Amino acid sequence: MRLKMKAASAALLFLLGNHAVAEDTYVQIGDYTQILLPLGGLGVSLAKGDYHGSLQLTKSFATTMIFTHGIKFSVDKRRPNFTTNNSFPSGHTAAAFSGASFFQTRYGSAWGVPAYALAGYTGWSRVHGDKHYWDDVIAGASIATLSNLFFVNPISEDIRVSPMVDGDATGLQVSVSNSFFEGGTRSKTPATHFDPKFRFDFLLGPTRLKSNDIGSFSDQQGIEFGQEDTITSAAVRWTWTPNTHHSFSFLSQPYEARDEGKLDSGDSVYAQYQVWDNMVNWQYDLQLAKKWIAKAGLGVLVQYAQASLYPDSSFSQQISGDEEWLLYPLVNATLGYKFTPDFDLSFSGQYGNNGDGELVSTDIGLNYAFNARWDIGGGYNYYKRDQDNAKTFRKIEFDTLYLRLGYAF
């Protein structure tokens, strides 16, 4: 990524030198939880005699690992600690979320909530230990969750507890149906009247940095950085549609990279930069015609931005840099056309202005619905944000080619 940066003194870099950061306890615990969660799911299902659930978990886990490691070696992304080139997606996170998602889907929140907490910790530990970026973690968790949703059915354990009175004796009577021991009673096939109110979308693809202006290093002189302009991108979006006219969505998408550059003296210098968008949108469906899609609404974007310079690849002793939070009120609009009930083309755009700067995002996408639950899409997104008084990125401009997989529930 060719960044317009400024240099620190070579003497300071020489004195600080390079040093390795030892593996800490947080990372080691994450190494265990990524194994314990899927093995725990298998153990619980076998202990319950839920052999159908055991098979579903096996299919889900195997699919998760195939996709995760297939993408890893196709993308060839360098880890943030500058070791191997297999950072995207996070395998530890994918394994942990595969087990956690199984607990949630198969046995409910009593099992799922603590399992998801451990899976979330696993993902955090990978970022904390400089093993992965946040988009690696988001991708691993999303692949595992969607694989689980495809293969795993909920189980209805049909346990009924009722009061019992027998003469002078009182107590509780517990009834357990045969399905508790046989393995699930609920089909995942949508009913004919299925009307989903929620959906989950996972988006991934290459993002190209078109231009940037980093204010954090304005007091220093130029450094040459050699990283390619294209980085990975992963995003998740949750949507709630309470009725036919209104929808509310939340999208989270981090852009993050690290790079090594050279000073005129030949010494190395390292940069870390991140732009993380968190966006809430409301849209009103105008319902103009049967085949047309027309929506408009309002929203808000909260952006975390950070750009820092370091003397070595441990990224522990900052030379210079800054971080900040930016807020942008948004207006949005979507226009599309349905070629068939299952296939459509849509254009969407968002514009934000906070008085100090502006943000523009446009998108074109093709979408195909397999059934009432599952759909897939792909498209192109252009993104630009300008704010002259920003402490980190005064200007940032991306474009992204993406693949999207959606699940309605």
Side-chain angles (χ1 to χ4, degrees):
M1 192 174 288
R2 300 178 183 88
L3 299 174
K4 298 173 184 175
M5 298 186 170
K6 307 260 179 160
S9 72
L12 176 61
L13 297 176
F14 178 78
L15 289 173
L16 289 174
N18 294 316
H19 65 276
V21 178
E23 200 92 306
D24 63 26
T25 305
Y26 298 113
V27 177
Q28 292 174 349
I29 293 173
D31 291 338
Y32 292 123
T33 53
Q34 62 124 357
I35 299 171
L36 291 175
L37 282 167
L39 283 183
L42 184 62
V44 169
S45 63
L46 291 174
K48 284 177 172 286
D50 179 16
Y51 304 118
H52 189 54
S54 302
L55 179 60
Q56 290 181 346
L57 172 59
T58 302
K59 291 178 180 179
S60 173
F61 183 81
T63 302
T64 295
M65 291 297 103
I66 289 170
F67 274 95
T68 298
H69 289 280
I71 296 172
K72 263 183 182 291
F73 295 107
S74 299
V75 172
D76 196 37
K77 177 184 177 182
R78 185 177 61 189
R79 290 181 184 269
N81 58 11
F82 287 73
T83 53
T84 57
N85 285 4
N86 59 352
S87 187
F88 183 88
S90 166
H92 279 60
T93 306
F97 271 84
S98 184
S101 298
F102 173 78
F103 275 121
Q104 175 66 43
T105 302
R106 190 70 174 166
Y107 303 124
S109 297
W111 294 90
V113 170
Y116 269 133
L118 286 175
Y121 171 87
T122 305
W124 171 84
S125 74
R126 304 307 290 167
V127 177
H128 167 77
D130 278 343
K131 308 292 185 180
H132 287 286
Y133 299 102
W134 278 113
D135 65 308
D136 304 337
V137 168
I138 287 174
S142 299
I143 291 168
T145 300
L146 289 168
S147 177
N148 167 82
L149 291 170
F150 185 81
F151 285 105
V152 181
N153 291 333
I155 184 171
S156 175
E157 296 190 333
D158 295 337
I159 301 177
R160 289 191 295 273
V161 180
S162 56
M164 179 188 70
V165 178
D166 185 5
D168 294 332
T170 59
L172 294 175
Q173 177 175 293
V174 180
S175 302
V176 183
S177 71
N178 290 335
S179 63
F180 174 80
F181 302 100
E182 293 171 356
T185 60
R186 252 178 78 185
S187 169
K188 70 191 297 183
T189 303
T192 54
H193 61 278
F194 180 63
D195 182 22
K197 300 297 183 185
F198 302 92
R199 65 174 292 112
F200 171 76
D201 290 291
F202 168 51
L203 304 92
L204 79 163
T207 292
R208 180 171 59 111
L209 179 66
K210 299 186 69 174
S211 62
N212 68 89
D213 181 3
I214 300 181
S216 295
F217 313 131
S218 59
D219 59 341
Q220 301 168 22
Q221 297 179 356
I223 306 170
E224 286 295 326
F225 285 88
Q227 182 173 316
E228 295 297 325
D229 290 340
T230 301
I231 61 174
T232 59
S233 176
V236 287
R237 180 173 58 219
W238 293 269
T239 304
W240 173 45
T241 307
N243 54 53
T244 56
H245 281 288
H246 300 276
S247 65
F248 301 86
S249 66
F250 169 73
L251 180 138
S252 185
Q253 183 165 20
Y255 304 94
E256 186 178 6
R258 293 181 177 184
D259 203 357
E260 179 183 6
K262 294 291 183 181
L263 299 168
D264 293 337
S265 63
D267 292 313
S268 293
V269 64
Y270 295 82
Q272 177 183 19
Y273 28 86
Q274 180 179 174
V275 175
W276 193 331
D277 284 353
N278 293 281
M279 190 182 308
V280 177
N281 271 315
W282 160 75
Q283 281 197 316
Y284 183 81
D285 192 337
L286 301 174
Q287 298 183 350
L288 297 180
K290 187 175 181 179
K291 289 194 173 185
W292 286 95
I293 302 168
K295 302 177 183 180
L298 302 173
V300 62
L301 179 139
V302 179
Q303 182 182 91
Y304 171 76
Q306 180 255 340
S308 302
L309 207 59
Y310 299 84
D312 57 59
S313 59
S314 70
F315 294 91
S316 58
Q317 300 183 46
Q318 181 176 302
I319 298 170
S320 64
D322 221 323
E323 61 181 349
E324 63 187 329
W325 291 89
L326 301 173
L327 180 71
Y328 285 88
L330 301 171
V331 293
N332 64 68
T334 300
L335 181 64
Y337 184 78
K338 293 185 177 182
F339 300 100
T340 71
D342 301 325
F343 180 69
D344 67 75
L345 173 68
S346 63
F347 301 86
S348 62
Q350 298 181 92
Y351 174 78
N353 193 310
N354 62 5
D356 294 317
E358 63 179 11
L359 179 145
V360 175
S361 177
T362 59
D363 187 281
I364 177 172
L366 285 168
N367 308 284
Y368 178 76
F370 296 106
N371 53 43
R373 286 198 188 274
W374 291 94
D375 63 277
I376 193 170
Y380 168 83
N381 175 264
Y382 171 79
Y383 175 99
K384 181 179 179 182
R385 192 267 285 163
D386 283 292
Q387 185 169 324
D388 289 338
N389 64 354
K391 294 183 294 184
T392 54
F393 291 91
R394 292 179 293 213
K395 176 182 179 181
I396 191 87
E397 186 179 14
F398 296 108
D399 59 359
T400 302
L401 292 173
Y402 66 86
L403 175 70
R404 180 193 57 79
L405 187 61
Y407 178 82
F409 57 102

